[in-house]
Amino acid sequence: MNVLVVGSGGREHALCWSISASPLVDSLYCAPGNGGIGSIANRVDISPTDIDGLIGFCRSEAIDFVVVGPEQPLVDGLVDRLSDVGIKAFGPSARAAALEGSKGFTKDLCAKYDIPTGAYGRFTDAGAAKAYVYASGAPIVVKADGLAAGKGVTVAQNVDEALAAIDEAFAGRFGSAGSEVVVEEFLHGEEASFFAIVDGRSALPLASAQDHKAVGDGDTGPNTGGMGAYSPAPVVTEELHGKIMSRIIEPTVTAMTAEGCPYTGVLYAGIMIVDGEPLLLEYNARFGDPECQVLMPRLKSDIMPVLLAAADGVLDQVDLRWCEDVALTVVLATHGYPGDYSKGSVIRNVNSAQELPDVTIFHAGTDIQDGNLVATGGRVLNITALGSSVREAQERAYEAVDVIDWPEGFCRSDIGWRAISRES
Ligand code: AMP
Ligand code: GLY
């Protein structure tokens, strides 16, 4: 079968890596891919948001199955358009992707179907949003309703910060994504990511993971797309796993069907664990990045039958086997990220690092130029290692990081610290 993966990040490299190992795949393409993906898939120079371009390519190359990585094309209706022309895809329809595309939609769904989450209000004018903030006090969280490339959330420590965030959103900082805001109760606890594959009717849990959003050691500094991750997340005990499935994931799948927009694809729940109980922070309609880079190396089963079963609505016919090992990934980023950074610096010794035992390197913002591997983005490489404990996986990952010669790059030195403190 001919398969197209849409996207260009570390997540898509990890997906291509798993998919390329499947005997079901004849030809694998990735649009647009990156400098690492080119060695396992045919790169196609089409943007993930160019829906007409992607459809045209699928028709001309007889693509049988499309796996969509990022959220924007899902919210824009790529899966619906593919389905209209008879091409099977893994990912939700535009209406179902509203779980990520509209925070207000998700909060209303939680309220209607009794799914545990923080108290909230939805507002289309600044005055009413501010009145809610005054009435609630701080800390409080202000969120642009729509997709804002991970920048639409302000955790305000005081009322003034919350008011400023409301003004910014309504002044157009996030474009139309901020024309509505959700103001939400601040939840104090520990965060974890939980992933399930859904086929419209039922949900197959994947594994838990934790990522490190802040740019600096000790979880300090501005938030990023994620500076590292590990799976499983020891904080998600068997009991908590059961509660997340029965109180959050399964009721959401049922609710989406009842609302007339059954959900298919990966359901990624951002969970806050408060006094041992899981509350939903947000949904994403896709794999996490860098969480996908620690899920794929732990997956022992062929991923393709699972993705196909989700698209076909027969997930009950497959099961998944995971290796017991822990996977941990360290993100190498260009100096300056998440602010401004330069492009085009040369990265050396990636192949030597990759040869270390139990190490896999997933590329993100890289390209091959004049035979050199160069950095083209903020997050650039994901150095991933397996180990029998988080500590062992961490040691192996950082050994590989040390082999890489890239003066223009940096990474956090403490990925996994929370889980390691639980191990000792
Ligand atoms: P989101 O994009 O909704 O996941 O928000 C980004 C980050 O903001 C989350 O990963 C949390 O760290 C934080 N956050 C979001 N909502 C809340 C909340 N209600 N209480 C506390 N922190 C939150
Ligand atoms: N790692 C966070 C995200 O993918 O949204």
Side-chain angles (χ1 to χ4, degrees):
M1 122 180 312
N2 298 331
V3 179
L4 171 69
V5 173
V6 175
S8 63
R11 167 181 52 212
E12 287 75 23
H13 192 178
L15 287 171
C16 284
W17 180 81
S18 285
I19 291 170
S20 67
S22 172
L24 296 175
V25 176
D26 297 311
S27 295
L28 178 61
Y29 299 87
C30 186
N34 60 38
I37 289 174
S39 60
I40 50 173
N42 303 294
R43 293 182 63 184
V44 185
D45 189 16
I46 303 175
S47 158
T49 53
D50 178 2
I51 294 188
D52 289 333
L54 291 169
I55 304 260
F57 174 81
C58 288
R59 293 182 121 167
S60 70
E61 296 302 319
I63 298 294
D64 303 293
F65 190 52
V66 179
V67 179
V68 187
E71 61 275 17
Q72 190 70 55
L74 294 169
V75 170
D76 291 347
L78 175 57
V79 171
D80 311 67
R81 289 279 308 280
L82 286 164
S83 151
D84 289 346
V85 294
I87 298 170
K88 198 181 285 187
F90 178 79
S93 66
R95 280 188 68 204
L99 279 180
E100 175 161 7
S102 167
K103 293 188 188 285
F105 171 87
T106 298
K107 296 296 280 189
D108 284 353
L109 194 85
C110 289
K112 184 169 172 187
Y113 293 91
D114 237 354
I115 296 164
T117 188
Y120 73 106
R122 290 180 80 166
F123 304 98
T124 49
D125 81 274
K130 288 180 181 177
Y132 186 91
V133 167
Y134 283 122
S136 312
I140 193 156
V141 185
V142 178
K143 302 183 174 183
D145 180 70
L147 293 183
K151 298 186 176 76
V153 175
T154 303
V155 179
Q157 296 305 331
N158 55 56
V159 166
D160 284 346
E161 257 181 71
L163 301 180
I166 290 167
D167 281 334
E168 271 184 357
F170 287 114
R173 179 169 171 215
F174 309 111
S176 60
S179 58
E180 176 171 346
V181 299
V182 171
V183 184
E184 193 178 301
E185 174 188 1
F186 174 80
L187 299 174
H188 189 72
E190 184 167 343
E191 267 183 87
S193 307
F194 190 91
F195 298 88
I197 294 200
V198 181
D199 70 353
R201 292 175 301 160
S202 57
L204 180 66
L206 295 178
S208 60
Q210 269 178 309
D211 76 347
H212 294 261
K213 289 202 166 75
V215 73
D217 282 1
D219 294 327
T220 55
N223 269 357
T224 68
M227 292 301 290
Y230 48 93
S231 171
V235 66
V236 182
T237 57
E238 214 167 295
E239 187 191 355
L240 203 53
H241 177 109
K243 286 181 182 173
I244 294 170
M245 283 301 289
S246 64
R247 295 185 193 167
I248 297 180
I249 303 287
E250 284 163 357
T252 301
V253 174
T254 307
M256 291 299 279
T257 303
E259 293 294 309
C261 44
Y263 190 91
T264 303
V266 185
L267 194 52
Y268 159 4
I271 302 286
M272 188 71 92
I273 303 155
V274 182
D275 299 328
E277 302 299 328
L279 292 160
L280 182 73
L281 278 183
E282 62 155 359
Y283 272 128
N284 295 306
R286 51 173 173 82
F287 280 105
D289 184 341
E291 289 97 325
C292 190
Q293 293 88 303
V294 288
L295 293 179
M296 293 304 123
R298 293 189 57 228
L299 188 58
K300 283 210 264 185
S301 315
D302 182 350
I303 193 172
M304 276 297 291
V306 183
L307 301 179
L308 288 164
D312 289 337
V314 291
L315 212 45
D316 49 355
Q317 292 172 16
V318 294
D319 82 317
L320 282 176
R321 285 176 307 116
W322 298 89
C323 78
E324 292 294 312
D325 280 351
V326 173
L328 180 142
T329 192
V330 176
V331 170
L332 285 184
T334 311
H335 278 302
Y337 175 79
D340 294 338
Y341 52 83
S342 64
K343 292 185 181 176
S345 54
V346 175
I347 311 166
R348 296 188 174 83
N349 293 351
V350 172
N351 288 341
S352 319
Q354 173 116 315
E355 279 160 19
L356 292 173
D358 292 315
V359 169
T360 309
I361 297 183
F362 297 117
H363 292 225
T366 70
D367 209 346
I368 311 284
Q369 290 174 8
D370 302 326
N372 291 317
L373 183 69
V374 299
T376 57
R379 290 191 294 171
V380 171
L381 293 171
N382 301 264
I383 316 302
T384 310
L386 289 169
S388 57
S389 62
V390 184
R391 183 183 295 280
E392 190 176 80
Q394 188 201 50
E395 276 168 13
R396 288 183 179 158
Y398 281 109
E399 267 170 38
V401 168
D402 286 342
V403 172
I404 292 173
D405 175 11
W406 183 36
E408 291 81 2
F410 77 97
C411 63
R412 278 183 58 161
S413 67
D414 63 347
I415 299 302
W417 68 268
R418 207 187 286 275
I420 288 171
S421 67
R422 280 202 170 87
E423 279 175 348
S424 45

